[in-house]
Amino acid sequence: MCFDYIIVGAGITGITAAEELANVLDKKVLLIDKREHIGGNCYDYLDDNGNLIHKYGPHVFHTDNTHVYNFLSLFTRWNNYSHKILFKYNDTLVPVPFNFISVDKALPEDSEEIKIALIEEYEINEKIPIRKLVQSENEHIKQLGNHIYEIFSEHFKKLYQIGDDELSEFVDKMFPFRMSYDCRYYNAMYQVEPLHGYSYMFKNMLSNPNITVVLNRDYNDLIRIDYENKRIFYEDEEFNGHLIFTGMIDEFFKYKYGELEYNSLILENEEINGKTFQDNSVIYYPNQYHLTRVTDYNYLSGNTLDTTVVQFEYPVKYDRNDKEQNIPYYPIDLKRNRQLYEKYKKLSDEFMNVTFVGRLAQYELLQMDECVEIVLDLINTKFSEI
Ligand SMILES: Cc1cc2nc3c(=O)[nH]c(=O)nc-3n(C[C@H](O)[C@H](O)[C@H](O)COP(=O)(O)OP(=O)(O)OC[C@H]3O[C@@H](n4cnc5c(N)ncnc54)[C@H](O)[C@@H]3O)c2cc1C
């Protein structure tokens, strides 16, 4: 075996690491993934009609980090794309994060009083936490806060399959109210989609012959860990290089302290005749239906095809023993999970020959740009010294 690094997981984290190790540090890299494709949850593909579909749900690249944007620009050209989302609540479509337009749509009878109260109390362009609105002494602002809180509560309960008792932990994750008419979902400087899709960009990132990609293989079939002596074996031979692990940290430690919780999704695609199916790329349904959201892919890809693909997204609990729901999508950011993760983190710190990085290994809902940023930092620091 002649690899300097083995990377478990060919998502954006593992791919960025493989690319940089091979191209910048001239290392030999083995990249393993149990799925049949590269790209992890950012994977996309063209269907028979030329529609670009994001298999695991819609992904929009957004960042304020010019270094990250320039780095990925080496592997793709971009489409400018300003993402907007709408929540359909009690049959009204409302832009989220909430802003002045959302107030007009959601609470039309009281919107003038609410907006006057907001302008008297806060600065234009300020972002006001929902908690602050709910606690306001002004009755109009409080009314708005309670309304937004109700909508987001329904959303989080459904998405994460949590109960009322756990909701308080999510209040600070509710998008703050924006004192503006800006309906874009993200405020980031760069909001783009790769011109030919994420998979195309990833393929370019992995073109160095120093990178070997093995798909359809669970790392457990190839790698054995001697936990006591912190040694790693690849196909029964001791591996003296460095392991980069981007899979689930609890799986790495054989669930020694118990399982971290995730939500999972069931995604159903339907091809529709016509350029678009709905009034926006993504519409969420916090209360009416079992589904969380519907995505219309022609908006995301900028296609001008006569058909579009619509994706219906249903939330389910992650269960590693159930084929229908064994993909971990969102870590469930509850105190009990953070405490459990800290126990695994402590164990992982003892493995000097393993780096745990990425959404699953850090048990954090990292955005794509954050994954890239973390890896680029590691390349300049830790990995350049190994
Ligand atoms: C529905 C959804 C929408 C999102 N939308 C956005 C968005 O719009 N913008 C944005 O910036 N971010 C978005 N994100 C976040 C984005 O998906 C993550 O930032 C990114 O996928 C994390 O990459 P990763 O490589 O760390 O993890 P992953 O993409 O999960 O990759 C991990 C890889 O490890 C592999 N693996 C796991 N276990 C094993 C094993 N035992 N053996 C072998 N391989 C294994 C998996 O198969 C997977 O390919 C979204 C996330 C979700 C779930």
Side-chain angles (χ1 to χ4, degrees), residues 29-81:
V29 181
L30 174 66
L31 179 61
I32 303 170
D33 205 294
K34 66 180 177 185
R35 295 186 194 179
E36 61 188 14
H37 57 72
I38 58 167
N41 282 352
C42 309
Y43 169 73
D44 54 15
Y45 63 94
L46 283 175
D47 74 1
D48 293 341
N49 291 318
N51 293 297
L52 185 67
I53 317 299
H54 298 189
K55 179 166 182 178
Y56 302 99
H59 279 68
V60 178
F61 189 80
H62 58 101
T63 190
D64 281 318
N65 187 323
T66 300
H67 181 48
V68 167
Y69 175 76
N70 287 343
F71 165 72
L72 290 176
S73 302
L74 297 172
F75 309 99
T76 184
R77 289 173 28 227
W78 304 100
N79 263 336
N80 283 326
Y81 174 71

Short mmCIF file of all heavy atoms in Angstrom, two decimals, residues 29-81:
data_model
loop_
_atom_site.label_atom_id
_atom_site.label_comp_id
_atom_site.label_asym_id
_atom_site.label_seq_id
_atom_site.Cartn_x
_atom_site.Cartn_y
_atom_site.Cartn_z
N VAL A 29 -3.22 9.82 -2.15
CA VAL A 29 -4.45 9.81 -1.34
C VAL A 29 -5.40 8.70 -1.80
O VAL A 29 -5.62 8.52 -3.00
CB VAL A 29 -5.19 11.17 -1.50
CG1 VAL A 29 -6.45 11.19 -0.66
CG2 VAL A 29 -4.28 12.33 -1.15
N LEU A 30 -5.97 8.01 -0.83
CA LEU A 30 -7.05 7.06 -1.11
C LEU A 30 -8.34 7.64 -0.54
O LEU A 30 -8.41 7.96 0.66
CB LEU A 30 -6.75 5.71 -0.46
CG LEU A 30 -7.86 4.66 -0.55
CD1 LEU A 30 -8.09 4.24 -2.01
CD2 LEU A 30 -7.52 3.44 0.31
N LEU A 31 -9.35 7.78 -1.38
CA LEU A 31 -10.63 8.37 -0.96
C LEU A 31 -11.70 7.29 -1.05
O LEU A 31 -11.95 6.74 -2.13
CB LEU A 31 -10.95 9.55 -1.89
CG LEU A 31 -12.24 10.34 -1.69
CD1 LEU A 31 -12.28 10.99 -0.31
CD2 LEU A 31 -12.38 11.43 -2.75
N ILE A 32 -12.33 6.99 0.08
CA ILE A 32 -13.30 5.88 0.13
C ILE A 32 -14.71 6.42 0.41
O ILE A 32 -14.89 7.26 1.29
CB ILE A 32 -12.95 4.90 1.29
CG1 ILE A 32 -11.52 4.39 1.14
CG2 ILE A 32 -13.94 3.76 1.38
CD1 ILE A 32 -11.03 3.63 2.37
N ASP A 33 -15.69 5.89 -0.30
CA ASP A 33 -17.08 6.24 0.05
C ASP A 33 -17.98 5.02 -0.15
O ASP A 33 -17.81 4.25 -1.09
CB ASP A 33 -17.61 7.40 -0.78
CG ASP A 33 -18.74 8.14 -0.06
OD1 ASP A 33 -19.82 7.52 0.15
OD2 ASP A 33 -18.54 9.31 0.33
N LYS A 34 -18.94 4.89 0.72
CA LYS A 34 -19.85 3.74 0.61
C LYS A 34 -20.95 3.96 -0.43
O LYS A 34 -21.62 3.03 -0.85
CB LYS A 34 -20.46 3.39 1.97
CG LYS A 34 -21.37 4.43 2.54
CD LYS A 34 -21.89 3.95 3.88
CE LYS A 34 -22.75 4.99 4.55
NZ LYS A 34 -23.17 4.62 5.89
N ARG A 35 -21.14 5.22 -0.84
CA ARG A 35 -22.16 5.46 -1.87
C ARG A 35 -21.59 5.14 -3.25
O ARG A 35 -20.38 4.98 -3.40
CB ARG A 35 -22.60 6.92 -1.84
CG ARG A 35 -23.30 7.28 -0.54
CD ARG A 35 -23.86 8.68 -0.58
NE ARG A 35 -24.22 9.11 0.76
CZ ARG A 35 -24.73 10.29 1.06
NH1 ARG A 35 -24.95 11.18 0.12
NH2 ARG A 35 -25.01 10.61 2.31
N GLU A 36 -22.48 5.14 -4.25
CA GLU A 36 -22.03 4.79 -5.60
C GLU A 36 -21.52 6.01 -6.38
O GLU A 36 -21.19 5.89 -7.55
CB GLU A 36 -23.15 4.10 -6.37
CG GLU A 36 -24.35 5.00 -6.53
CD GLU A 36 -25.55 4.30 -7.12
OE1 GLU A 36 -25.57 3.07 -7.17
OE2 GLU A 36 -26.48 5.02 -7.54
N HIS A 37 -21.49 7.16 -5.71
CA HIS A 37 -21.06 8.39 -6.38
C HIS A 37 -20.25 9.24 -5.42
O HIS A 37 -20.32 9.06 -4.20
CB HIS A 37 -22.29 9.16 -6.85
CG HIS A 37 -23.24 9.48 -5.72
ND1 HIS A 37 -22.95 10.43 -4.76
CD2 HIS A 37 -24.44 8.95 -5.38
CE1 HIS A 37 -23.95 10.48 -3.90
NE2 HIS A 37 -24.87 9.59 -4.23
N ILE A 38 -19.51 10.20 -6.00
CA ILE A 38 -18.82 11.20 -5.17
C ILE A 38 -19.79 12.34 -4.87
O ILE A 38 -20.85 12.44 -5.48
CB ILE A 38 -17.57 11.75 -5.90
CG1 ILE A 38 -17.95 12.39 -7.25
CG2 ILE A 38 -16.51 10.67 -6.08
CD1 ILE A 38 -16.85 13.21 -7.88
N GLY A 39 -19.40 13.21 -3.93
CA GLY A 39 -20.18 14.44 -3.70
C GLY A 39 -20.99 14.44 -2.40
O GLY A 39 -21.52 15.49 -2.04
N GLY A 40 -21.11 13.28 -1.74
CA GLY A 40 -21.89 13.25 -0.50
C GLY A 40 -23.28 13.82 -0.72
O GLY A 40 -23.90 13.57 -1.76
N ASN A 41 -23.73 14.63 0.20
CA ASN A 41 -25.08 15.18 0.10
C ASN A 41 -25.20 16.30 -0.92
O ASN A 41 -26.31 16.77 -1.20
CB ASN A 41 -25.55 15.69 1.47
CG ASN A 41 -25.97 14.54 2.36
OD1 ASN A 41 -26.05 13.39 1.91
ND2 ASN A 41 -26.22 14.83 3.62
N CYS A 42 -24.08 16.74 -1.48
CA CYS A 42 -24.14 17.80 -2.52
C CYS A 42 -24.22 17.20 -3.92
O CYS A 42 -24.23 17.94 -4.91
CB CYS A 42 -22.89 18.69 -2.45
SG CYS A 42 -22.52 19.32 -0.84
N TYR A 43 -24.29 15.90 -4.02
CA TYR A 43 -24.29 15.23 -5.33
C TYR A 43 -25.48 15.67 -6.19
O TYR A 43 -26.61 15.77 -5.70
CB TYR A 43 -24.35 13.71 -5.09
CG TYR A 43 -24.61 12.90 -6.33
CD1 TYR A 43 -23.64 12.73 -7.31
CD2 TYR A 43 -25.85 12.28 -6.52
CE1 TYR A 43 -23.88 11.97 -8.45
CE2 TYR A 43 -26.11 11.50 -7.65
CZ TYR A 43 -25.11 11.37 -8.61
OH TYR A 43 -25.36 10.62 -9.73
N ASP A 44 -25.22 15.94 -7.46
CA ASP A 44 -26.31 16.21 -8.41
C ASP A 44 -26.09 15.43 -9.70
O ASP A 44 -24.98 14.93 -9.94
CB ASP A 44 -26.49 17.72 -8.67
CG ASP A 44 -25.21 18.41 -9.13
OD1 ASP A 44 -24.25 17.71 -9.53
OD2 ASP A 44 -25.14 19.65 -9.09
N TYR A 45 -27.13 15.31 -10.51
CA TYR A 45 -27.04 14.53 -11.75
C TYR A 45 -28.05 15.08 -12.76
O TYR A 45 -29.04 15.72 -12.38
CB TYR A 45 -27.32 13.04 -11.48
CG TYR A 45 -28.72 12.78 -10.97
CD1 TYR A 45 -29.76 12.44 -11.85
CD2 TYR A 45 -29.02 12.92 -9.62
CE1 TYR A 45 -31.05 12.23 -11.39
CE2 TYR A 45 -30.32 12.71 -9.15
CZ TYR A 45 -31.32 12.37 -10.05
OH TYR A 45 -32.60 12.19 -9.59
N LEU A 46 -27.77 14.78 -14.04
CA LEU A 46 -28.71 15.17 -15.09
C LEU A 46 -29.67 14.01 -15.33
O LEU A 46 -29.22 12.87 -15.52
CB LEU A 46 -27.95 15.45 -16.40
CG LEU A 46 -27.20 16.78 -16.51
CD1 LEU A 46 -26.42 16.83 -17.82
CD2 LEU A 46 -28.17 17.97 -16.43
N ASP A 47 -30.96 14.26 -15.35
CA ASP A 47 -31.89 13.18 -15.67
C ASP A 47 -32.01 13.04 -17.19
O ASP A 47 -31.35 13.77 -17.94
CB ASP A 47 -33.25 13.38 -14.98
CG ASP A 47 -34.09 14.47 -15.64
OD1 ASP A 47 -33.64 15.07 -16.65
OD2 ASP A 47 -35.21 14.70 -15.17
N ASP A 48 -32.84 12.12 -17.65
CA ASP A 48 -32.91 11.82 -19.09
C ASP A 48 -33.30 13.04 -19.92
O ASP A 48 -33.00 13.11 -21.11
CB ASP A 48 -33.92 10.69 -19.36
CG ASP A 48 -33.40 9.40 -18.76
OD1 ASP A 48 -32.18 9.33 -18.50
OD2 ASP A 48 -34.20 8.47 -18.53
N ASN A 49 -34.02 13.99 -19.31
CA ASN A 49 -34.44 15.18 -20.07
C ASN A 49 -33.49 16.36 -19.94
O ASN A 49 -33.78 17.45 -20.42
CB ASN A 49 -35.83 15.64 -19.59
CG ASN A 49 -36.87 14.64 -19.98
OD1 ASN A 49 -36.85 14.11 -21.09
ND2 ASN A 49 -37.75 14.33 -19.04
N GLY A 50 -32.38 16.14 -19.22
CA GLY A 50 -31.41 17.23 -19.06
C GLY A 50 -31.70 18.13 -17.87
O GLY A 50 -31.11 19.19 -17.74
N ASN A 51 -32.60 17.71 -16.98
CA ASN A 51 -32.84 18.47 -15.75
C ASN A 51 -31.75 18.13 -14.73
O ASN A 51 -31.47 16.96 -14.50
CB ASN A 51 -34.19 18.10 -15.12
CG ASN A 51 -35.36 18.54 -15.97
OD1 ASN A 51 -35.54 19.73 -16.19
ND2 ASN A 51 -36.13 17.59 -16.47
N LEU A 52 -31.16 19.17 -14.13
CA LEU A 52 -30.13 18.95 -13.12
C LEU A 52 -30.80 18.82 -11.75
O LEU A 52 -31.41 19.77 -11.25
CB LEU A 52 -29.14 20.13 -13.12
CG LEU A 52 -27.94 19.97 -12.20
CD1 LEU A 52 -27.01 18.85 -12.67
CD2 LEU A 52 -27.15 21.29 -12.13
N ILE A 53 -30.66 17.64 -11.17
CA ILE A 53 -31.37 17.35 -9.90
C ILE A 53 -30.36 17.18 -8.77
O ILE A 53 -29.36 16.48 -8.92
CB ILE A 53 -32.14 16.01 -9.99
CG1 ILE A 53 -32.86 15.86 -11.33
CG2 ILE A 53 -33.09 15.85 -8.81
CD1 ILE A 53 -33.87 16.90 -11.59
N HIS A 54 -30.65 17.78 -7.62
CA HIS A 54 -29.82 17.57 -6.42
C HIS A 54 -30.44 16.39 -5.67
O HIS A 54 -31.53 16.52 -5.11
CB HIS A 54 -29.82 18.81 -5.53
CG HIS A 54 -29.25 20.04 -6.21
ND1 HIS A 54 -28.99 21.21 -5.55
CD2 HIS A 54 -28.86 20.25 -7.49
CE1 HIS A 54 -28.48 22.10 -6.39
NE2 HIS A 54 -28.41 21.53 -7.58
N LYS A 55 -29.74 15.28 -5.71
CA LYS A 55 -30.35 14.05 -5.22
C LYS A 55 -30.80 14.14 -3.76
O LYS A 55 -31.81 13.58 -3.37
CB LYS A 55 -29.36 12.89 -5.38
CG LYS A 55 -29.90 11.58 -4.89
CD LYS A 55 -29.11 10.39 -5.33
CE LYS A 55 -29.80 9.14 -4.80
NZ LYS A 55 -29.12 7.93 -5.20
N TYR A 56 -29.99 14.84 -2.93
CA TYR A 56 -30.28 14.85 -1.49
C TYR A 56 -30.87 16.18 -1.01
O TYR A 56 -30.73 16.55 0.15
CB TYR A 56 -28.99 14.55 -0.71
CG TYR A 56 -28.40 13.22 -1.13
CD1 TYR A 56 -27.36 13.15 -2.04
CD2 TYR A 56 -28.93 12.02 -0.64
CE1 TYR A 56 -26.84 11.93 -2.45
CE2 TYR A 56 -28.42 10.80 -1.05
CZ TYR A 56 -27.38 10.75 -1.96
OH TYR A 56 -26.89 9.54 -2.36
N GLY A 57 -31.55 16.89 -1.91
CA GLY A 57 -32.17 18.15 -1.52
C GLY A 57 -31.38 19.33 -2.10
O GLY A 57 -30.19 19.22 -2.36
N PRO A 58 -32.08 20.48 -2.27
CA PRO A 58 -31.49 21.62 -2.97
C PRO A 58 -30.30 22.22 -2.24
O PRO A 58 -30.37 22.47 -1.03
CB PRO A 58 -32.65 22.63 -3.02
CG PRO A 58 -33.53 22.25 -1.90
CD PRO A 58 -33.43 20.77 -1.75
N HIS A 59 -29.22 22.47 -2.97
CA HIS A 59 -28.02 23.09 -2.41
C HIS A 59 -27.70 24.38 -3.15
O HIS A 59 -27.62 24.39 -4.36
CB HIS A 59 -26.84 22.13 -2.51
CG HIS A 59 -26.83 21.10 -1.41
ND1 HIS A 59 -27.77 20.12 -1.33
CD2 HIS A 59 -26.00 20.96 -0.35
CE1 HIS A 59 -27.52 19.39 -0.25
NE2 HIS A 59 -26.45 19.87 0.37
N VAL A 60 -27.48 25.43 -2.38
CA VAL A 60 -27.12 26.73 -2.95
C VAL A 60 -25.80 27.16 -2.34
O VAL A 60 -25.67 27.20 -1.11
CB VAL A 60 -28.21 27.78 -2.62
CG1 VAL A 60 -27.81 29.14 -3.16
CG2 VAL A 60 -29.55 27.35 -3.18
N PHE A 61 -24.84 27.48 -3.19
CA PHE A 61 -23.55 27.88 -2.64
C PHE A 61 -23.59 29.36 -2.27
O PHE A 61 -23.94 30.21 -3.09
CB PHE A 61 -22.41 27.62 -3.64
CG PHE A 61 -21.08 27.84 -3.00
CD1 PHE A 61 -20.53 26.86 -2.20
CD2 PHE A 61 -20.42 29.04 -3.14
CE1 PHE A 61 -19.32 27.07 -1.55
CE2 PHE A 61 -19.21 29.26 -2.50
CZ PHE A 61 -18.66 28.27 -1.70
N HIS A 62 -23.20 29.65 -1.03
CA HIS A 62 -23.19 31.06 -0.58
C HIS A 62 -22.03 31.25 0.37
O HIS A 62 -21.77 30.38 1.22
CB HIS A 62 -24.52 31.40 0.13
CG HIS A 62 -24.80 30.52 1.30
ND1 HIS A 62 -24.59 30.91 2.60
CD2 HIS A 62 -25.25 29.24 1.37
CE1 HIS A 62 -24.92 29.93 3.42
NE2 HIS A 62 -25.31 28.89 2.71
N THR A 63 -21.32 32.35 0.20
CA THR A 63 -20.20 32.60 1.11
C THR A 63 -19.81 34.06 1.08
O THR A 63 -20.04 34.76 0.08
CB THR A 63 -18.97 31.73 0.73
OG1 THR A 63 -18.01 31.82 1.77
CG2 THR A 63 -18.33 32.15 -0.59
N ASP A 64 -19.19 34.49 2.17
CA ASP A 64 -18.56 35.81 2.21
C ASP A 64 -17.05 35.65 2.12
O ASP A 64 -16.32 36.64 2.20
CB ASP A 64 -18.90 36.52 3.54
CG ASP A 64 -20.29 37.12 3.49
OD1 ASP A 64 -20.65 37.69 2.45
OD2 ASP A 64 -21.03 36.99 4.48
N ASN A 65 -16.59 34.41 1.99
CA ASN A 65 -15.16 34.15 2.03
C ASN A 65 -14.60 34.11 0.59
O ASN A 65 -14.79 33.16 -0.15
CB ASN A 65 -14.96 32.79 2.73
CG ASN A 65 -13.49 32.51 2.97
OD1 ASN A 65 -12.65 32.83 2.13
ND2 ASN A 65 -13.19 31.90 4.10
N THR A 66 -13.90 35.17 0.23
CA THR A 66 -13.37 35.30 -1.13
C THR A 66 -12.34 34.21 -1.43
O THR A 66 -12.27 33.70 -2.55
CB THR A 66 -12.74 36.70 -1.32
OG1 THR A 66 -13.77 37.66 -1.08
CG2 THR A 66 -12.20 36.90 -2.73
N HIS A 67 -11.58 33.83 -0.42
CA HIS A 67 -10.57 32.79 -0.60
C HIS A 67 -11.24 31.47 -1.00
O HIS A 67 -10.82 30.79 -1.96
CB HIS A 67 -9.78 32.63 0.71
CG HIS A 67 -8.69 31.62 0.65
ND1 HIS A 67 -7.78 31.57 -0.39
CD2 HIS A 67 -8.36 30.61 1.50
CE1 HIS A 67 -6.94 30.58 -0.18
NE2 HIS A 67 -7.28 29.96 0.94
N VAL A 68 -12.31 31.12 -0.31
CA VAL A 68 -13.04 29.88 -0.62
C VAL A 68 -13.66 29.97 -2.02
O VAL A 68 -13.58 29.04 -2.82
CB VAL A 68 -14.13 29.61 0.46
CG1 VAL A 68 -15.10 28.53 0.00
CG2 VAL A 68 -13.48 29.22 1.78
N TYR A 69 -14.27 31.11 -2.31
CA TYR A 69 -14.91 31.30 -3.63
C TYR A 69 -13.85 31.18 -4.74
O TYR A 69 -14.06 30.47 -5.74
CB TYR A 69 -15.60 32.66 -3.66
CG TYR A 69 -16.18 32.99 -5.02
CD1 TYR A 69 -17.36 32.38 -5.46
CD2 TYR A 69 -15.54 33.88 -5.87
CE1 TYR A 69 -17.87 32.67 -6.72
CE2 TYR A 69 -16.05 34.17 -7.12
CZ TYR A 69 -17.22 33.56 -7.54
OH TYR A 69 -17.72 33.83 -8.79
N ASN A 70 -12.72 31.84 -4.57
CA ASN A 70 -11.66 31.79 -5.60
C ASN A 70 -11.12 30.38 -5.75
O ASN A 70 -10.83 29.92 -6.85
CB ASN A 70 -10.51 32.74 -5.26
CG ASN A 70 -10.92 34.18 -5.48
OD1 ASN A 70 -11.90 34.45 -6.17
ND2 ASN A 70 -10.18 35.11 -4.91
N PHE A 71 -10.99 29.69 -4.62
CA PHE A 71 -10.48 28.31 -4.66
C PHE A 71 -11.41 27.43 -5.51
O PHE A 71 -10.97 26.76 -6.45
CB PHE A 71 -10.35 27.76 -3.24
CG PHE A 71 -10.19 26.27 -3.19
CD1 PHE A 71 -9.01 25.67 -3.59
CD2 PHE A 71 -11.26 25.46 -2.79
CE1 PHE A 71 -8.87 24.29 -3.60
CE2 PHE A 71 -11.13 24.08 -2.79
CZ PHE A 71 -9.93 23.50 -3.20
N LEU A 72 -12.70 27.46 -5.23
CA LEU A 72 -13.63 26.59 -6.00
C LEU A 72 -13.74 27.04 -7.45
O LEU A 72 -14.01 26.23 -8.34
CB LEU A 72 -15.00 26.55 -5.32
CG LEU A 72 -15.04 25.81 -3.99
CD1 LEU A 72 -16.42 25.92 -3.34
CD2 LEU A 72 -14.66 24.33 -4.13
N SER A 73 -13.50 28.33 -7.68
CA SER A 73 -13.57 28.86 -9.06
C SER A 73 -12.48 28.26 -9.95
O SER A 73 -12.55 28.38 -11.17
CB SER A 73 -13.45 30.39 -9.07
OG SER A 73 -14.47 30.94 -8.28
N LEU A 74 -11.50 27.62 -9.36
CA LEU A 74 -10.48 26.93 -10.17
C LEU A 74 -11.09 25.70 -10.85
O LEU A 74 -10.54 25.19 -11.82
CB LEU A 74 -9.31 26.44 -9.28
CG LEU A 74 -8.50 27.51 -8.56
CD1 LEU A 74 -7.53 26.88 -7.58
CD2 LEU A 74 -7.75 28.35 -9.60
N PHE A 75 -12.24 25.22 -10.33
CA PHE A 75 -12.79 23.96 -10.81
C PHE A 75 -14.16 24.10 -11.48
O PHE A 75 -14.72 23.11 -11.95
CB PHE A 75 -12.88 22.95 -9.65
CG PHE A 75 -11.58 22.83 -8.91
CD1 PHE A 75 -11.38 23.51 -7.72
CD2 PHE A 75 -10.55 22.08 -9.45
CE1 PHE A 75 -10.17 23.42 -7.06
CE2 PHE A 75 -9.34 22.00 -8.80
CZ PHE A 75 -9.14 22.68 -7.61
N THR A 76 -14.70 25.28 -11.45
CA THR A 76 -16.03 25.48 -12.07
C THR A 76 -16.22 26.94 -12.46
O THR A 76 -15.60 27.83 -11.88
CB THR A 76 -17.17 25.08 -11.11
OG1 THR A 76 -18.41 25.21 -11.80
CG2 THR A 76 -17.23 25.93 -9.86
N ARG A 77 -17.09 27.16 -13.46
CA ARG A 77 -17.64 28.50 -13.65
C ARG A 77 -18.98 28.52 -12.92
O ARG A 77 -19.48 27.48 -12.53
CB ARG A 77 -17.79 28.79 -15.14
CG ARG A 77 -16.39 28.97 -15.73
CD ARG A 77 -16.27 29.10 -17.22
NE ARG A 77 -17.37 29.65 -17.92
CZ ARG A 77 -17.88 29.08 -19.04
NH1 ARG A 77 -17.39 27.95 -19.52
NH2 ARG A 77 -18.88 29.64 -19.68
N TRP A 78 -19.53 29.70 -12.74
CA TRP A 78 -20.72 29.81 -11.89
C TRP A 78 -21.90 30.46 -12.61
O TRP A 78 -21.69 31.25 -13.51
CB TRP A 78 -20.41 30.68 -10.66
CG TRP A 78 -19.27 30.26 -9.81
CD1 TRP A 78 -18.01 30.78 -9.82
CD2 TRP A 78 -19.27 29.25 -8.79
NE1 TRP A 78 -17.23 30.17 -8.87
CE2 TRP A 78 -17.98 29.21 -8.22
CE3 TRP A 78 -20.24 28.36 -8.29
CZ2 TRP A 78 -17.63 28.35 -7.19
CZ3 TRP A 78 -19.89 27.50 -7.26
CH2 TRP A 78 -18.59 27.49 -6.72
N ASN A 79 -23.09 30.13 -12.15
CA ASN A 79 -24.30 30.89 -12.46
C ASN A 79 -24.60 31.76 -11.25
O ASN A 79 -24.63 31.24 -10.13
CB ASN A 79 -25.51 29.94 -12.57
CG ASN A 79 -25.81 29.57 -13.98
OD1 ASN A 79 -25.46 30.27 -14.91
ND2 ASN A 79 -26.47 28.43 -14.13
N ASN A 80 -24.86 33.05 -11.46
CA ASN A 80 -25.32 33.85 -10.31
C ASN A 80 -26.71 33.38 -9.94
O ASN A 80 -27.54 33.15 -10.83
CB ASN A 80 -25.36 35.34 -10.65
CG ASN A 80 -23.97 35.92 -10.63
OD1 ASN A 80 -23.14 35.50 -9.83
ND2 ASN A 80 -23.70 36.85 -11.52
N TYR A 81 -26.96 33.23 -8.68
CA TYR A 81 -28.28 32.74 -8.28
C TYR A 81 -28.63 33.28 -6.89
O TYR A 81 -27.99 32.94 -5.90
CB TYR A 81 -28.27 31.20 -8.26
CG TYR A 81 -29.57 30.64 -7.71
CD1 TYR A 81 -30.74 30.72 -8.45
CD2 TYR A 81 -29.61 30.07 -6.43
CE1 TYR A 81 -31.94 30.25 -7.93
CE2 TYR A 81 -30.81 29.59 -5.91
CZ TYR A 81 -31.96 29.68 -6.66
OH TYR A 81 -33.14 29.23 -6.15
#
